[in-house]
Amino acid sequence: MTNALVVGAGPAGLAAAEVMAEAGLRVTVADAMPSPARKFLMAGKSGLNITKDTDLDGLTQAIAPAPLRPMLAAFDAHAVQDWARGLGQEVFTGSSGRVFPVAMKASPLLRAWLARLDAMGVTLQRRWRWTGFSENGASFDTPAGPHNFRTKIVCLALGGASWSRLGSDGAWTRHFPPNQIAPFKPANMGFQVDWTPHMAKHFGEPVKSVTLTAGDETHRGEFVISERGLEGSAIYAVSKSVRDGAPLTLDFKPDLDLSTVRRRLAKRGKASLSNHLRKALGLTPAQIALLQEFGRPLPDDLAPLIKALPIRHHGPRPMDEAISTAGGVRFDALTNGLMLRDRPGVFGAGEMLDWEAPTGGYLITTSMATGRWAGRHAVEFAQT
């Protein structure tokens, strides 16, 4: 029986391990952390969004790199839902098309998945930190000391460069030639704002039913005013464009056109500005505070600002706070089967590859799809 090694016990690594074990390989999964899939578990704390209920075109339009299309075709959004059901976890689709387990948490899914892998003979080694390759195979620092694992098949699923406390620190890049790595950038992240003191009372408040625009990206949803700046799903949805230099604007009343907003604001009377904005347009105190923060000095005609308030910020929050990262192993360093061109038998999968997923379940879907793709081609390589 052929031995196979997977480095990284997140969704991509576990998916690769499952495919290889199904094909009869003896699989060992090594992870640097004391327990597997820590980032996956963290994602489940606020409701585990496993995929988006969309077709292949919807997936590939959201997740740009062309090499990913056949991988997503082989394991699409419907396959992700079937996978969850196969582990005894029913799913439902929310109004936005996002798919969640009925239990909402990641832990039941992970426990069932690990139990299935264990029954297939997959061995999980904890606290094994990969330190590169040597003439003796894949090298690790382990609780028992340095260890070399010699095998024909290695699948690397080492993660990105955010949430280092959960194991994704990007340190693995030093074991790759620099020309094979696209520099990491934060993805799905908040933006730093140095607030004036009057904003402090609004920290933690949501801003709902608004539209954010950055470049060609427009997204309706909500975000949160935090002590550090702006974050939340609507911010994450346009974060790539904002990170890459597009100005960010906020429309407080996306269902009203400019002339309607102007007409509603025309008759103020003796009301204070805040009361007038609240009564005429239904703006919340947090929204009014944002208008005053970014619109000062306020013009007589507030309608254009209410429809397109420029948001000043100081760039993305630190990468380690980002939900995910862009950058990683370049696709031109890989074959169509995700094998490293300069290292036969070594495959890559998951967030360590150079792609960027928006929020909405795309990250888990694509990580699993690339893991399964790498596992499948690893099996083919093992048979040669």
Side-chain angles (χ1 to χ4, degrees):
M1 183 182 292
T2 302
N3 287 332
L5 172 68
V6 176
V7 186
L14 296 179
E18 186 160 35
V19 170
M20 292 190 289
E22 285 174 343
L25 276 62
R26 182 187 294 112
V27 182
T28 297
V29 178
D31 195 87
M33 304 302 288
S35 57
R38 289 194 164 194
K39 192 172 179 181
F40 180 72
L41 289 171
M42 178 62 75
K45 286 189 175 296
S46 57
L48 183 68
N49 180 196
I50 58 172
T51 194
K52 185 72 175 285
D53 191 12
T54 185
D55 58 15
L56 178 60
D57 286 339
L59 287 177
T60 54
Q61 287 169 8
I63 306 165
L68 292 174
R69 186 177 177 88
M71 305 173 202
L72 292 166
F75 192 76
D76 61 10
H78 301 294
V80 176
Q81 296 175 64
D82 290 341
W83 164 79
R85 295 187 189 102
L87 290 169
Q89 298 298 308
E90 285 301 317
V91 300
F92 71 94
T93 302
S95 58
S96 65
R98 298 183 178 197
V99 179
F100 303 85
V102 171
M104 293 299 286
K105 298 179 181 180
S107 51
L109 261 176
L110 181 61
R111 282 196 301 268
W113 199 7
L114 291 174
R116 186 163 75 186
L117 291 170
D118 183 65
M120 297 169 70
V122 174
T123 299
L124 176 60
Q125 297 289 358
R126 296 169 170 83
R127 294 191 174 92
W128 277 32
R129 180 171 294 278
W130 182 64
T131 57
F133 292 106
S134 70
E135 59 184 13
N136 295 317
S139 300
F140 294 90
D141 285 335
T142 78
H147 178 77
N148 292 308
F149 195 106
R150 187 184 291 275
T151 178
K152 181 180 179 180
I153 301 296
V154 178
C155 182
L156 300 176
L158 296 163
S162 63
W163 292 83
S164 58
R165 64 187 178 88
L166 302 180
S168 298
D169 58 11
W172 54 265
T173 56
R174 65 177 178 267
H175 303 300
F176 282 73
N179 63 352
Q180 292 184 356
I181 303 296
F184 283 119
K185 295 184 287 188
N188 301 306
M189 64 292 181
F191 289 85
Q192 176 71 38
V193 179
D194 294 337
W195 301 111
T196 55
H198 87 282
M199 290 297 299
K201 62 184 177 182
H202 300 291
F203 293 162
E205 291 186 23
V207 179
K208 299 182 178 181
S209 300
V210 296
T211 294
L212 291 167
T213 298
D216 296 331
E217 298 286 337
T218 297
H219 184 81
R220 182 166 179 166
E222 65 179 78
F223 62 89
V224 175
I225 302 170
S226 76
E227 183 177 359
R228 301 171 296 183
L230 299 173
E231 51 194 87
S233 59
I235 291 289
Y236 303 152
V238 297
S239 61
K240 180 180 184 297
S241 295
V242 178
R243 181 199 67 203
D244 293 344
L248 177 63
T249 60
L250 168 61
D251 182 352
F252 288 110
K253 305 301 296 183
D255 293 327
L256 303 179
D257 60 24
L258 180 64
S259 61
T260 301
V261 172
R262 187 172 277 135
R263 185 174 66 252
R264 289 191 180 186
L265 290 175
K267 297 181 180 181
R268 176 174 169 180
K270 296 182 180 180
S272 68
L273 177 59
S274 293
N275 281 336
H276 182 51
L277 290 170
R278 178 176 57 82
K279 292 178 179 178
L281 293 174
L283 295 193
T284 67
Q287 291 174 325
I288 294 169
L290 287 173
L291 179 66
Q292 294 171 331
E293 181 78 0
F294 294 119
R296 287 179 174 170
L298 294 178
D300 292 334
D301 182 7
L302 288 176
L305 284 182
I306 288 168
K307 292 297 294 176
L309 178 68
I311 303 297
R312 299 184 301 274
H313 60 86
H314 296 284
R317 292 289 305 160
M319 186 156 55
D320 198 46
E321 297 177 9
I323 292 175
S324 58
T325 50
V329 180
R330 299 180 185 274
F331 280 100
D332 58 13
L334 301 162
T335 68
N336 291 338
L338 296 181
M339 185 172 70
L340 287 168
R341 295 184 185 277
D342 66 348
R343 194 173 283 276
V346 178
F347 297 78
E351 199 181 340
M352 71 178 291
L353 306 181
D354 182 19
W355 59 282
E356 178 172 359
T359 55
Y362 298 104
L363 185 63
I364 290 175
T365 297
T366 310
S367 291
M368 292 186 66
T370 57
R372 291 182 63 86
W373 188 264
R376 180 183 125 195
H377 286 84
V379 170
E380 293 176 1
F381 184 84
Q383 294 169 346
T384 59

